[in-house]
Amino acid sequence: MRPYGLEAEQRREPLGVGERCPRLSWKLESDRRGAAQSAYQITAAERAADLDDPDRLVWDTGRRSSGDGLLVPWDGPALRSATRYHWRVRVWDETGAQAGAAQSWFETGLLHRDDWTAVWIGRDPALLPHVDPPADEDLPSPPLASPPLYLRREFHLARQPVRARLYATARGVYEPRLNGARVGDVEMAPGWTEYHRRLQYQTYDVTDLLRPGANVVAAIVGDGWWCGYVGFDPRRPAQHYGDRPAFLAQLVLDFADGSRQVVATDGNWTERPGAIRAADLLMGEYVDHRQHVPGWDLPGVAGFRPVAVLDTAPGPLVAEPDHPIRVTRTVAPVEIRRRGPGRYVVDFGQNLVGRVRLTVRAATAGHRIVLRHAEMLADGELYVDNLRRARATDVYVTGGDPVEVFEPRFTYHGFRYLEVADHPGELRLSDVVARVLHNDTPWTGWFECSDPVVNQLQSNIAWGQRGNFVAVPTDCPQRDERLGWLADAQIFAPTAGRNADVSAFLARWLRDVVDGQDADGAFRDVAPVVTLGREAAPAWGDAGVIIPWYLWRVYGDRRVLERGFDAMRAWVDHVHRHNPDLRWRNRTGNSYGDWLQVDVTTRRDVLATAYFAHSTQLVAQAAEVLGRHDEAEQLRDLHARIRAAFVDSYVGDDGTVEGGTQTAYLLALAFGLLPQRLVPAAVEHLAADIEKRGHRLTTGFVGVALLCPVLADHGRADLAYALLHQDRYPSWGYSIRHGATTIWERWDGWTEHAGFQSPAMNSFNHYSLGSVGDWLFGRVAGIDQTPSSVAYRELLLRPLPGGRLTWARAEQETARGRVACGWSMSDGRITVTVTVPPGSTAVLQIPTPDPGSVCENDAPAAGRPGVLGVEPFAAGVSLRLTSGRYTLTATAPDVVP
Ligand code: RAM
């Protein structure tokens, strides 16, 4: 058994950790059945070599009895700023024998206020009227503010530093540079947070970019979320944050003799506009290569003007705590069509989020190429109506070089199609490539099955996640919105956590959610808060309870509960205070109901009250985890009373739920609101509604997540599969049949009978309706955990053969290690293969009509190593397993297609 995947604060070898007591984690792997950790020891030192010298350790936990390697908080001496700590973990196995060891490092950021000497710099306000953006019909209207800043500072080094770090951030978005080279690979830094409360700085290792003699540290700074267009607010967002971009950075150089030199932003920096004449997240970027100053970020360049010091207080700086935005892959075009002289439509074959890189050859200077982006085509031309005010247009003016490469920096678009207009020559497939960007959350999940349509669904879900985990979890990436809508995030979080490690990303965004909470305890519909100032709607505000609970359950992140608990509690108290009769009818904000449901209307008070009960129950559970037993007791009592009120007001003696919609039943069943005796009848009513509609759904954002799970958990897997395989409108399959490569916002985004939905709200890349992804992993393949398990400590493996599928399998890199579950059926046998990581146990339920038929290698399963028990359960056999890999077979179940 050996530890691997070592992380500090949920990231591998992070630079610039801001936590005073960072938490260390590792995973385990072993081929041996029953392998488990019984103890660990962590040692840490400032030099890797010192890990072997007990006298030079800065921290030694000694041998600690524990089965977990999950988020162990540093409890050694106080950490120093800007210091690398190497650490090693050693583990002992279940027999008490010493097993493997592994090592890693993390580096602290600037932990103290007075570590910062930098001040905010920007363009001298007196110069602003003299640097107009270019007048061009393809620029956004109303015109953007002044062009991005090109900032530089020359300095001299007597010798080579042994270590150099750049700590930087912007009011705006920035790209750092050193001696003519780009620093790092982070895009759209510093990301988007509730800037008035927290502004993230990034840390870069720049040791290799420096040299003795003259050096230049530089940056380009654009408007970004700080002062560009954000959301659907038509105002320039000076109203949100500020009216002009600014930059703050500190280059810290350490020399072999222990001395230190700091180059920080101050009045000695200089500035001028450069090739990027305008840049905006929604509108696009305008680059005039003729304005490029060669070598502008190298020593000895003239023509720059002094900057102004805009602010001497650094502000609420925090170290970036999660994976930054990066370009994670490129996508080549599948087709280019010429639509007129110099005008081409490029198809990338995939709705994606990022921007294009265009290579232009041998154009004369001053040639103006216009790039527009769209998700869909109409009659072979870009369909851009649904982008609303987002112009998503990039302009590149050639500089006359033999080969020029254009890629915008400070904008991103959601698109599958690109129009290149006024291209000077023949546009070839190799001249253009799409660059995909998003927060670089490590990919941790893989699902596959025998049906290509379901695999396409999984692919669409994954692309929706990539495209919308950009700075914050956004609703959509293309139109003038891109906001951190709370319901979308809570509905999709369980699916997101299957595909990728979203622990640090969501925990960071939750701070924005909490920052947006008002004094009465109400969250807002979006975080960071822009435009939408009212209290959040039911199922929207509840994200502030559901997501922390989710991060605890799936990642074992207790700190997120500790820090979030008061806010969670305040939210439930807020709803309670305004709804003393326990039906949530007051203070429902914009009450969106079951948003974008079809053909039906789920009653808002039914949905709201169900969510009130659900959130109250989760806060009670969180209180229990945190040892706040009295509060837990009160909340359990409140939950029981809300549940009684729900039944009293909305549930009939025959198991009907008020309104009779699929979502009304799903909420009542999923949240456990019905008396047990009424559950079978409620399931029948739900099933009858689906059947009467010819196996079609009516659910919107809220209900859809519950649809397949509730059906499968109540003996109607046949209907869950019928919905999964449905390809008539409305269904997932319908969009796929019509070429969808992402999840659409609306079931009727485009239909044969009505064409495009209203362009006022019609995104083709919205992940909410893709929340079924959790069920693909959790039931179709079968990876789940028992209700009391945390971070997959006790797996619940429940493969569910059904529908057209002959096999399915999933793998997940969990916080403890690799989990796998898959099944296949042939020749009257079902074969199930599972992987249980060291330290975990599993309850594996194999559906089979013949409990005695379960074998491994032709031997009865009972008595095989690692098999702790075999018992019949309703539809098959339940096995208790220790860690290890298993391949079991049994008589195949009868599956009604
Ligand atoms: C839309 C957003 C989002 C949804 C809200 C209610 O504008 O796209 O997805 O949560 O409305």
Side-chain angles (χ1 to χ4, degrees):
M1 183 177 74
R2 66 169 202 106
Y4 73 99
L6 277 61
E7 290 182 336
E9 284 301 313
Q10 300 170 316
R11 281 180 300 152
R12 218 182 128 246
E13 300 181 345
L15 279 178
V17 171
E19 288 290 339
R20 303 288 170 105
C21 298
R23 299 162 304 166
L24 308 181
S25 309
W26 58 94
K27 305 171 192 214
L28 295 165
E29 67 185 3
S30 168
D31 288 332
R32 193 177 68 252
R33 289 195 181 169
Q37 173 186 303
S38 60
Y40 70 80
Q41 178 180 19
I42 300 172
T43 49
E46 287 190 24
R47 295 182 336 153
D50 292 347
L51 286 172
D52 296 317
D53 181 350
D55 294 333
R56 302 192 68 101
L57 296 177
V58 290
W59 188 39
D60 183 353
T61 64
R63 179 175 161 155
R64 285 183 180 168
S65 295
S66 167
D68 293 335
L70 278 180
L71 299 165
V72 178
W74 176 277
D75 63 1
L79 297 173
R80 301 193 300 131
S81 277
T83 304
R84 182 168 294 196
Y85 291 88
H86 298 267
W87 62 284
R88 177 181 292 163
V89 61
R90 200 187 298 282
V91 298
W92 284 264
D93 71 15
E94 73 286 1
T95 69
Q98 185 156 340
Q103 91 190 42
S104 182
W105 56 262
F106 66 88
E107 194 173 303
T108 52
L110 301 182
L111 299 176
H112 309 289
R113 202 26 162 232
D114 51 15
D115 290 331
W116 288 98
T117 54
V119 295
W120 286 101
I121 58 169
R123 182 164 293 146
D124 184 342
L127 289 171
L128 283 178
H130 309 298
V131 277
D132 290 334
D136 190 301
E137 79 229 39
D138 282 300
L139 268 179
S141 74
L144 297 169
S146 63
L149 308 162
Y150 285 66
L151 296 157
R152 58 175 271 134
R153 165 84 160 100
E154 196 163 324
F155 61 98
H156 185 83
L157 285 185
R159 53 228 144 111
Q160 181 73 29
V162 288
R163 177 184 178 283
R165 296 288 179 270
L166 178 67
Y167 303 93
T169 188
R171 294 173 174 167
V173 284
Y174 73 97
E175 177 180 298
R177 304 188 62 87
L178 235 164
N179 293 329
R182 177 176 171 179
V183 170
D185 58 358
V186 175
E187 302 285 348
M188 314 294 244
W192 186 22
T193 49
E194 197 68 68
Y195 289 139
H196 295 306
R197 308 288 288 273
R198 287 171 305 105
L199 177 59
Q200 302 181 154
Y201 68 87
Q202 284 70 37
T203 304
Y204 308 88
D205 181 348
V206 293
T207 313
D208 294 340
L209 295 174
L210 292 154
R211 56 201 176 209
N215 287 266
V216 173
V217 55
I220 315 173
V221 186
D223 293 352
W225 293 273
W226 179 268
C227 52
Y229 287 99
V230 177
F232 41 69
D233 194 326
R235 302 171 296 177
R236 283 197 49 84
Q239 293 86 344
H240 302 308
Y241 302 114
D243 61 359
R244 73 191 61 154
F247 184 60
L248 180 127
Q250 199 156 306
L251 178 63
V252 178
L253 310 159
D254 289 324
F255 299 93
D257 63 0
S259 63
R260 173 168 279 188
Q261 183 178 342
V262 174
V263 180
T265 44
D266 61 15
N268 294 317
W269 287 55
T270 55
E271 175 273 321
R272 61 165 287 172
I276 306 178
R277 309 305 295 171
D280 182 87
L281 295 169
L282 300 177
M283 301 305 174
E285 191 158 308
Y286 190 108
V287 175
D288 185 344
H289 193 57
R290 295 171 304 182
Q291 310 276 346
H292 176 63
V293 180
W296 75 271
D297 48 2
L298 290 172
V301 166
F304 280 62
R305 305 164 300 210
V307 294
V309 172
L310 300 176
D311 190 350
T312 53
L317 297 186
V318 294
E320 181 172 63
D322 64 320
H323 304 90
I325 300 172
R326 294 196 176 94
V327 171
T328 60
R329 63 169 81 193
T330 58
V331 175
V334 293
E335 190 183 29
I336 295 182
R337 285 185 183 222
R338 192 167 171 275
R339 302 288 301 178
R343 196 166 73 83
Y344 300 87
V345 170
V346 180
D347 178 4
F348 290 97
Q350 172 64 52
N351 194 1
L352 56 83
V353 173
R355 54 222 182 185
V356 298
R357 177 177 278 183
L358 176 72
T359 305
V360 184
R361 282 166 228 280
T364 50
H367 203 101
R368 185 176 145 289
I369 304 169
V370 180
L371 282 71
R372 296 191 306 136
H373 304 75
E375 295 181 289
M376 300 289 258
L377 295 182
D379 301 324
E381 297 292 340
L382 301 197
Y383 178 75
V384 294
D385 298 0
N386 68 328
L387 304 184
R388 303 194 309 215
R389 276 183 333 107
R391 295 192 57 166
T393 301
D394 299 326
V395 178
Y396 181 67
V397 182
T398 54
D401 294 349
V403 179
E404 294 174 45
V405 176
F406 166 60
E407 180 182 349
R409 276 188 182 77
F410 298 139
T411 191
Y412 75 91
H413 313 296
F415 63 102
R416 170 174 169 169
Y417 302 98
L418 167 76
E419 182 198 68
V420 181
D422 303 322
H423 189 267
E426 172 85 11
L427 183 68
R428 292 168 303 178
L429 282 171
S430 56
D431 293 337
V432 58
V433 68
R435 312 236 310 149
V436 176
L437 58 77
H438 54 93
N439 281 85
D440 193 9
T441 54
W443 213 251
T444 52
W446 299 269
F447 168 88
E448 209 186 351
C449 70
S450 58
D451 182 353
V453 180
V454 177
N455 292 338
Q456 183 66 49
L457 173 62
Q458 166 61 21
S459 170
N460 293 4
I461 293 167
W463 276 101
Q465 178 165 338
R466 287 188 195 102
N468 283 297
F469 275 42
V470 179
V472 299
T474 60
D475 59 331
C476 58
Q478 72 297 81
R479 68 183 179 218
D480 57 343
E481 187 146 4
R482 314 184 191 188
L483 297 176
W485 282 96
L486 268 66
D488 308 41
Q490 66 94 348
I491 288 289
F492 190 70
T495 299
R498 300 288 191 168
N499 293 319
D501 176 0
V502 295
S503 55
F505 176 83
L506 288 178
R508 188 257 302 164
W509 177 69
L510 271 175
R511 300 191 58 180
D512 295 334
V513 172
V514 172
D515 286 344
Q517 191 171 37
D518 69 16
D520 195 59
F523 294 117
R524 294 288 178 263
D525 282 334
V526 296
V529 179
V530 276
T531 320
L532 290 131
R534 296 183 66 183
E535 72 269 2
W540 270 251
D542 297 283
V545 169
I546 293 169
I547 296 179
W549 179 252
Y550 170 78
L551 294 179
W552 158 248
R553 280 267 285 141
V554 170
Y555 297 103
D557 190 345
R558 186 187 164 92
R559 198 181 65 194
V560 90
L561 283 190
E562 287 163 358
R563 291 184 179 170
F565 185 81
D566 290 344
M568 296 163 74
R569 173 85 216 242
W571 166 250
V572 165
D573 288 347
H574 154 82
V575 177
H576 188 194
R577 187 158 50 247
H578 297 286
N579 298 277
D581 78 346
L582 307 181
R583 286 103 179 139
W584 186 0
R585 290 184 286 229
N586 305 313
R587 298 293 289 267
T588 55
N590 291 323
S591 198
Y592 307 101
D594 189 15
W595 185 242
L596 302 178
Q597 59 202 323
V598 268
D599 296 337
V600 299
T601 305
T602 294
R603 262 180 62 166
R604 283 164 205 240
D605 54 341
V606 170
L607 181 149
T609 304
Y611 258 91
F612 180 25
H614 184 51
S615 282
T616 304
Q617 185 171 40
L618 296 184
V619 182
Q621 290 174 5
E624 204 58 74
V625 170
L626 298 176
R628 304 166 81 131
H629 302 297
D630 294 346
E631 259 174 293
E633 188 57 45
Q634 291 161 19
L635 287 158
R636 276 195 296 268
D637 174 66
L638 175 61
H639 172 253
R641 289 186 289 123
I642 302 167
R643 189 171 175 258
F646 183 91
V647 173
D648 190 47
S649 289
Y650 307 126
V651 181
D653 276 345
D654 54 355
T656 48
V657 177
E658 187 67 43
T661 62
Q662 294 172 13
T663 293
Y665 287 109
L666 293 167
L667 290 164
L669 289 162
F671 295 166
L673 302 177
L674 301 176
Q676 197 47 46
R677 67 185 166 83
L678 296 182
V679 167
V683 173
E684 269 178 44
H685 297 306
L686 169 64
D689 186 85
I690 294 167
E691 277 161 353
K692 128 184 144 199
R693 294 171 191 275
H695 294 151
R696 271 172 285 184
L697 52 78
T698 61
T699 49
F701 279 25
V702 178
V704 67
L706 311 174
L707 194 54
C708 291
V710 165
L711 289 166
D713 287 350
H714 290 89
R716 295 309 307 265
D718 59 322
L719 287 182
Y721 273 109
L723 293 168
L724 183 67
H725 291 317
Q726 179 61 270
D727 70 352
R728 285 173 301 154
Y729 169 79
S731 65
W732 296 285
Y734 186 78
S735 66
I736 291 170
R737 185 148 64 81
H738 292 287
T741 58
T742 37
I743 300 291
W744 295 352
E745 176 176 26
R746 319 175 72 126
W747 297 114
D748 60 355
W750 184 91
T751 57
E752 286 151 306
H753 53 276
F756 285 114
Q757 243 290 356
S758 158
M761 207 186 75
N762 195 20
S763 142
F764 292 95
N765 192 357
H766 236 76
Y767 51 53
S768 296
L769 297 180
S771 56
V772 68
D774 182 45
W775 184 76
L776 297 179
F777 280 83
R779 286 314 306 276
V780 174
I783 298 178
D784 208 341
Q785 58 179 336
T786 63
S788 61
S789 162
V790 172
Y792 296 98
R793 169 84 185 69
E794 192 180 29
L795 300 172
L796 180 57
L797 304 174
R798 294 188 294 168
L800 186 70
R804 296 198 289 262
L805 303 188
T806 56
W807 60 267
R809 63 169 168 255
E811 282 195 42
Q812 263 178 260
E813 190 66 31
T814 72
R816 289 178 198 277
R818 181 69 67 134
V819 175
C821 187
W823 57 270
S824 64
M825 298 218 289
S826 66
D827 302 331
R829 299 287 288 176
I830 178 167
T831 303
V832 177
T833 51
V834 305
T835 304
V836 182
S840 290
T841 58
V843 175
L844 167 62
Q845 296 178 352
I846 302 182
T848 172
D850 179 6
S853 67
V854 187
C855 313
E856 187 179 40
N857 288 342
D858 296 327
R864 296 286 303 160
V867 178
L868 303 174
V870 181
E871 291 156 29
F873 84 102
V877 177
S878 177
L879 297 95
R880 280 190 306 114
L881 306 176
T882 64
S883 63
R885 284 172 228 267
Y886 302 81
T887 300
L888 299 148
T889 70
T891 305
D894 287 329
V895 175
V896 189

